Amino acid sequence: MIMNFIRNSKVAAGIWTFLRIYIGYQWMTAGYGKITGGQFDASGFIQGAIANSTGEGATVQAWWGTFLEAVALPQAELFTYAVMWGELLVGIALILGIFTNFAALMGITMNFAFLFSGTVSTNAQMVVITVFLLAAGYNAGRYGLDRWILPYLKQTIQSKKHKVDKEVAVAS
């Protein structure tokens, strides 16, 4: 009953729209600030997380510190761009309600990466809200561009599949 409300109710869709735009604004402004500020460099953040992954009072899990040291730090420039542009694009997608579920999934992935790295800030709050957006499925983007784009894509894919199925049937 509650999942039916979350996933199908137009009232719930309005609530998800408000929360989606709020989270999207948080992501968009964070990414925009990093891009236009010209001084964001993920390597300092990564090094800080690595430093916090060792010792008796470690606040970052050792396995995550190892990942950051072996994968992220050598590719810090790539991670710098991925964070800046990822935040901006996730924010825009959530605000517009386009590919909402994918944008929410990418956002929550970034939130968890920040949480794993020892940063609390608003990440935990954003995770909780994003879990609800993900649970809402299509309803989270009902009052957004998903309302038109997803049915169009579904119809296009189904018509192409139908066309391929006909070609296969004729060929056999």
Side-chain angles (χ1 to χ4, degrees), residues 32-115:
Y32 183 76
K34 288 176 177 78
I35 291 167
T36 60
Q39 296 180 357
F40 176 71
D41 180 7
S43 63
F45 177 79
I46 295 168
Q47 289 170 347
I50 293 168
N52 289 329
S53 69
T54 59
E56 197 170 308
T59 57
V60 174
Q61 294 285 319
W63 68 270
W64 185 252
T66 301
F67 165 78
L68 291 175
E69 190 170 19
V71 178
L73 191 56
Q75 302 297 323
E77 187 174 339
L78 174 65
F79 277 81
T80 296
Y81 286 103
V83 168
M84 292 188 306
W85 288 99
E87 288 180 348
L88 180 71
L89 293 173
V90 163
I92 291 170
L94 288 173
I95 289 170
L96 296 176
I98 184 167
F99 304 120
T100 303
N101 289 50
F102 181 72
L105 182 63
M106 294 300 100
I108 203 168
T109 301
M110 286 190 289
N111 281 133
F112 277 121
F114 299 146
L115 287 168

Side-chain angles (χ1 to χ4, degrees), residues 94-140:
L94 288 173
I95 289 170
L96 296 176
I98 184 167
F99 304 120
T100 303
N101 289 50
F102 181 72
L105 182 63
M106 294 300 100
I108 203 168
T109 301
M110 286 190 289
N111 281 133
F112 277 121
F114 299 146
L115 287 168
F116 287 159
S117 298
T119 302
V120 179
S121 184
T122 60
N123 288 299
Q125 168 191 322
M126 291 173 77
V127 165
V128 170
I129 294 171
T130 306
V131 164
F132 280 103
L133 293 177
L134 289 169
Y138 169 78
N139 211 26

Side-chain angles (χ1 to χ4, degrees), residues 146-157:
D146 281 347
R147 182 179 195 153
W148 296 281
I149 291 174
L150 294 182
Y152 171 77
L153 289 175
K154 183 178 180 181
Q155 179 183 359
T156 302
I157 291 168

